[in-house]
Amino acid sequence: MFNKNKSPAPSPQPRPSTPAAIPPLPDMPSAGAAKPATAASAAPAGTSSRGLSTLSSDLKFEGTISGAGDLQVDGQIKGDLRVGRLIVGETGAVEGNVSADYIEVRGRIVGATSGKQVKLVSTAYVDGDITAEQLSIDIGAYFQGRCVQGRRDAPAATAPKPVAAPASDLAPIPQQPAGQVIDMKPH
């Protein structure tokens, strides 16, 4: 019934010494792989369906960057930046005005920042004003500047109209040349 011969346990295979794969960013489709859209994994509004463009840490760029796509900055940019979604990595630095629907800062921004959602992670350094509908600042993040909460498109509240006095009750205001004193005491 029982066999006393045991097969030797498989010897562990040595793992290659390659760096671990970098996990995809949250709410971002990884390059070449389509994720099914679910309510739990829905990306912020305005996110493009294309992959994420990356400026790697060994690159420097001078000039204006604009477009509707998504950008991760791990290098350095001197100039204004206007994209759909922006992630400034820990080694990334932007010197200029930044505008995007979603902005996540792990690195450095020196300039005005404007977006619907702005998130400063604990490693962030931001020197400039931030205008955002939603702002998140983690403990440890550095922020120097003013913060203005942007307004959402909402119907304007109607203010009550002031009650005006009848025209017959108003006395005309005498016109005097500049520099003269008007005596307003009743005579």
Side-chain angles (χ1 to χ4, degrees), residues 52-69:
L52 178 70
S53 298
T54 304
L55 182 72
S56 65
S57 61
D58 59 342
L59 294 177
K60 294 181 181 181
F61 183 86
E62 287 191 34
T64 301
I65 296 176
S66 64

Side-chain angles (χ1 to χ4, degrees), residues 25-26 72 85-91 102-109 113 117-126 130 135-143:
L25 295 169
Q72 177 164 346
R85 180 179 167 124
L86 174 68
I87 297 168
V88 180
E90 289 186 19
T91 61
Y102 175 83
I103 301 170
E104 182 175 311
V105 183
R106 297 178 179 276
R108 180 180 181 98
I109 294 179
T113 303
Q117 295 179 332
V118 177
K119 181 177 183 179
L120 306 184
V121 180
S122 62
T123 57
Y125 177 97
V126 177
I130 295 177
L135 175 63
S136 169
I137 303 176
D138 289 352
I139 295 174
Y142 175 84
F143 168 57

